[in-house]
Amino acid sequence: MNPTSGKTNDSLSDSNSEDARQQKLHKKKSSTQLPQPGTTQGSCAFDSAMITLVPITDAAHVVHGPSGCAASIWGSYSSLSSNSMLYKIRFTSDIDENDIIFGGAKKLYKGILELARRYKPAAVFVYSTCITALIGDDIEGVCKDATEKTRIPTIPVHCPGFIGNQNLGNRVAGEALLEHVIGTAEPETNTPYDINLIGEHNIAGAIWNVLPLLEKLGIRVLAKITGDAIYKEVCYAHRAKLNVLLSSKALINMAKGMEKKYGIPYIEESIYGIESINQCLRNIAAKLDNPDLQEGTEKLIVEETAAIDEKLALYITRLQGKRIILSIGSFKSWLIIFTAKKLGMEVIAILTKNNTDEDKIRVKSLLGQDGIILEQNSAEEILQIINSNLADMLIADKRHQDTSLTARIPFLDINQERNHPYAGYVGILEVARELYAAFYNPVWEQVYQPAPWSVGNSSEEEI
């Protein structure tokens, strides 16, 4: 059965406070304000639900909809796996015009049976899309029948794109796990230091920078929801002593649900930035409430901080005093602010398009009185700031690359398709390496030189 309107409304009413604040802010604006091109772009609920669940690597992920939906975001986020590679395969029911008229449930059911026979996945996740939700295909009934036939758990995820934005899609994915997966199996053993990491999708292997730190402290990560995860560990996530919510605020509903249902407390932390990872480790140890663990945590922090400071010393000597302009769009760009300050660099201006008021207040406090905040992000304004403030580098997404070339200063692309892990202490070093490589790329020695024909003209004028 498809979710009722009451259930959908309840889910919408549970939206995090950030969504509510943004709606209030929009209401205060003039109703005559015309929409701007590109304002509707971004991930829909379907996209973000898949981004949340696809890192369950030994499961098959089936898109019940047109093939274009399956192709829209698949592979755009480089979530890595140390186990199965099944999650890399695209499965879709490939709904066409006939299926829209007569229904696509039978086609979906046959497809699930075939993939179960061929691939024998640990589980199957079935994602509804706009079209299949509108024609009323009963994916819950199909999943129930497929589970009985194949003995493989088949989980429906009601995430048509039209129900909301990226945050709602993440939340729907978390609710699907809480309703159908978590609590359905038991771990072989339990320890007093079992925790779950929630909201880190292991993009570029980021979570692998953090797991060794927890292992040194004797803390076992029972489940990673979801990044380099396997289905079985998500099933017994209810036996953890603590949930650590990382990055994805939208999954806080799942953390609250586990607290209510299983009595597992949760904390919200970050693993990006030296101060953040230090605080994260301290708070985990404090919540697990063991004096020896807390003492060991402080020793580990001292050791790791000293080691990273030693490695950063070379980069500080080469990057100290450099002036940068930075576009704020994701947690990675926030990390660059903290890393730049650690390296003695100066952030002179920040581009803040599509950021919240809280973000802008935070930016202002980081920049100080002389800092410049740009909201329009036009090439003309950026060039003016670069020239008037003698900026040394522009850090933004690739649409601003031409601006950097026009100004003849180095450019660093910080798009979402990351290839380097930035989490933990090792991640800070990775950011420093990227900044150094961008500044001292040999191509800029050529860019700074006058063009050969300009040199020739100057010589002729002198004669």
Side-chain angles (χ1 to χ4, degrees):
M1 182 180 295
N2 289 325
T4 64
S5 59
K7 184 174 180 180
T8 303
N9 290 335
D10 290 341
S11 181
L12 287 169
S13 65
D14 289 337
S15 298
N16 58 26
S17 57
E18 179 59 41
D19 293 338
R21 281 195 294 269
Q22 290 303 308
Q23 290 175 3
K24 291 179 180 179
L25 288 173
H26 287 308
K27 287 179 181 179
K28 292 180 180 179
K29 295 181 180 180
S30 171
S31 59
T32 60
Q33 184 177 358
L34 295 176
Q36 299 298 315
T39 55
T40 60
Q41 291 180 355
S43 296
C44 66
F46 163 75
D47 287 346
S48 54
M50 291 208 67
I51 289 169
T52 301
L53 296 178
V54 163
I56 301 178
T57 59
D58 58 349
H61 300 269
V62 180
V63 178
H64 184 39
S67 58
C69 290
S72 62
I73 56 97
W74 208 290
S76 61
Y77 285 74
S78 52
S79 178
L80 301 185
S81 170
S82 59
N83 296 288
S84 173
M85 290 295 147
L86 180 60
Y87 75 115
K88 293 286 188 182
I89 302 176
R90 305 184 191 187
F91 296 104
T92 176
S93 56
D94 192 19
I95 292 296
D96 57 23
E97 290 87 349
N98 287 335
D99 299 317
I100 294 173
I101 297 171
F102 298 108
K106 290 183 179 179
K107 189 176 187 180
L108 172 64
Y109 178 72
K110 291 180 180 179
I112 294 173
L113 297 186
E114 179 62 18
L115 77 86
R117 182 186 69 82
R118 288 192 186 187
Y119 297 96
K120 296 179 174 54
V124 179
F125 288 89
V126 180
Y127 304 84
S128 63
T129 58
C130 294
I131 290 178
T132 53
L134 287 172
I135 65 177
D137 277 353
D138 182 13
I139 68 168
E140 285 204 18
V142 171
C143 290
K144 182 179 178 181
D145 292 343
T147 300
E148 293 176 355
K149 180 71 174 179
T150 64
R151 301 300 177 186
I152 295 173
T154 306
I155 298 98
V157 185
H158 298 288
C159 56
F162 59 72
I163 66 172
N165 61 8
Q166 178 177 349
N167 284 338
L168 186 56
N170 292 338
R171 188 158 49 251
V172 167
E175 290 170 356
L177 292 179
L178 188 58
E179 181 178 354
H180 297 285
V181 182
I182 296 173
T184 59
E186 296 292 334
E188 294 180 1
T189 59
N190 293 304
T191 78
Y193 307 127
D194 288 344
I195 68 171
N196 296 324
L197 299 181
I198 299 176
E200 175 55 57
H201 304 323
N202 201 37
I203 304 298
I207 206 169
W208 296 336
N209 288 351
V210 179
L211 293 179
L213 300 174
L214 298 172
E215 290 176 4
K216 288 180 181 179
L217 296 174
I219 297 172
R220 184 174 73 158
V221 177
L222 195 63
K224 303 177 287 293
I225 307 173
T226 62
D228 189 23
I230 58 174
Y231 180 76
K232 181 173 65 175
E233 72 180 28
V234 181
C235 292
Y236 53 62
H238 63 297
R239 293 307 181 192
K241 305 301 187 294
L242 177 68
N243 281 330
V244 183
L245 190 64
L246 305 172
S247 302
S248 182
K249 297 288 186 181
L251 289 176
I252 193 170
N253 276 22
M254 186 176 71
K256 289 180 178 178
M258 292 180 72
E259 183 176 41
K260 182 178 180 180
K261 190 173 183 179
Y262 301 108
I264 305 173
Y266 72 90
I267 56 175
E268 298 180 55
E269 301 296 335
S270 173
I271 53 176
Y272 295 91
I274 293 178
E275 291 78 10
S276 296
I277 186 64
N278 288 348
Q279 193 62 40
C280 177
L281 294 175
R282 287 191 178 105
N283 290 343
I284 291 173
K287 279 291 185 180
L288 294 176
D289 195 21
N290 183 289
D292 293 336
L293 178 60
Q294 291 174 285
E295 182 180 352
T297 300
E298 293 300 328
K299 289 181 180 178
L300 178 66
I301 289 173
V302 171
E303 293 173 1
E304 294 292 338
T305 304
I308 197 65
D309 285 344
E310 182 180 352
K311 293 176 181 177
L312 290 176
L314 173 63
Y315 297 101
I316 292 175
T317 59
R318 302 300 303 274
L319 297 174
Q320 190 171 21
K322 300 293 185 182
R323 298 160 65 84
I324 64 175
I325 296 176
L326 173 65
S327 175
I328 291 290
S330 65
F331 68 87
K332 181 164 65 170
S333 49
W334 284 100
L335 175 62
I336 290 177
I337 296 178
F338 302 131
T339 306
K341 288 183 174 292
K342 183 77 174 176
L343 297 171
M345 304 169 71
E346 182 182 355
V347 182
I348 59 175
I350 287 183
L351 319 179
T352 62
K353 188 176 181 181
N354 297 332
N355 279 262
T356 64
D357 285 352
E358 288 88 345
D359 285 342
K360 294 173 185 177
I361 293 171
R362 188 182 181 196
V363 164
K364 192 64 179 176
S365 66
L366 289 171
L367 288 183
Q369 295 297 324
D370 298 330
I372 301 169
I373 298 178
L374 290 177
E375 296 188 23
Q376 296 301 319
N377 296 2
S378 67
E380 293 79 7
E381 285 184 301
I382 297 173
L383 282 172
Q384 184 178 356
I385 296 298
I386 291 173
N387 295 329
S388 60
N389 291 273
L390 302 178
D392 297 304
M393 187 179 197
L394 176 61
I395 304 175
D397 55 36
K398 56 188 175 183
R399 62 195 172 99
H400 290 300
Q401 186 170 10
D402 289 343
T403 306
S404 174
L405 294 174
T406 301
R408 295 202 302 175
I409 63 173
F411 176 79
L412 179 61
D413 186 2
I414 53 170
N415 60 16
Q416 289 289 345
E417 293 77 29
R418 306 193 296 280
N419 296 314
H420 304 284
Y422 294 131
Y425 300 102
V426 179
I428 301 297
L429 185 61
E430 191 63 50
V431 175
R433 286 171 179 161
E434 286 199 39
L435 289 170
Y436 176 84
F439 266 116
Y440 293 100
N441 190 317
V443 71
W444 295 110
E445 294 181 6
Q446 302 297 321
V447 172
Y448 296 147
Q449 299 297 322
W453 53 86
S454 298
V455 176
N457 290 338
S458 298
S459 301
E460 291 175 3
E461 288 176 3
E462 291 177 1
I463 294 174

